[in-house]
Amino acid sequence: MIQVFHNPRCTKSRECLAFLEELGQKYEIIKYLEVAPTVAELELIIQKLGIQPIDLVRKKEKIWIEKYKNQQLSSDEIVAILIQNPRLIERPIIINGDKALIGRPKEVVATII
């Protein structure tokens, strides 16, 4: 089943869910702000996305700018920061089996269904 790492307050995330419904797809919502992923889960998601941990960071968030922006951070350190501050994780993340993508624009979601 398709999993969606969803933030209910995010317009893009809500648009993605509506798009999945338009396509008639069933999905499971993962409210990652309520229960942050584990290190292993986040590392697996990053692997499925085929990106580096820094590419999953919402770099315009105030907490990133104030605490981490100009630091030299390892991948492990970035993963730890994302676990501690799940608001920094890009969204929505769509996972279907061994594939994943960041669902913006929403139409890209159709490529992994």
Side-chain angles (χ1 to χ4, degrees):
M1 175 178 287
I2 295 170
Q3 295 178 308
V4 180
F5 275 64
H6 174 63
N7 176 349
R9 296 185 62 176
C10 173
T11 302
K12 299 295 183 187
S13 194
R14 291 192 310 267
E15 286 176 1
C16 184
L17 293 183
F19 185 65
L20 285 169
E21 296 210 9
E22 285 175 28
L23 296 175
Q25 295 295 313
K26 293 184 179 187
Y27 55 86
E28 172 189 5
I29 294 175
I30 310 292
K31 292 183 179 179
Y32 67 97
L33 293 178
E34 293 176 13
V35 178
T38 65
V39 170
E41 289 168 337
L42 191 57
E43 287 175 343
L44 183 59
I45 290 167
I46 291 166
Q47 178 185 1
K48 289 179 180 186
L49 287 166
I51 63 175
Q52 294 298 311
I54 190 65
D55 299 323
L56 194 57
V57 174
R58 295 176 54 82
K59 296 172 191 78
K60 294 182 182 177
E61 288 285 338
K62 183 177 179 179
I63 190 169
W64 179 262
I65 293 168
E66 291 178 354
K67 287 187 161 187
Y68 308 109
K69 183 178 180 184
N70 294 314
Q71 293 186 30
Q72 293 293 328
L73 300 165
S74 70
S75 292
D76 289 343
E77 290 170 322
I78 293 169
V79 168
I81 290 166
L82 291 172
I83 297 298
Q84 294 169 0
N85 304 280
R87 168 177 267 164
L88 291 175
I89 298 173
E90 283 286 0
R91 61 186 179 258
I93 299 172
I94 315 304
I95 302 169
N96 191 5
D98 63 350
K99 297 182 268 181
L101 55 76
I102 297 171
R104 288 188 323 259
K106 66 182 182 189
E107 292 79 10
V108 301
V109 174
T111 65
I112 68 166
I113 296 175

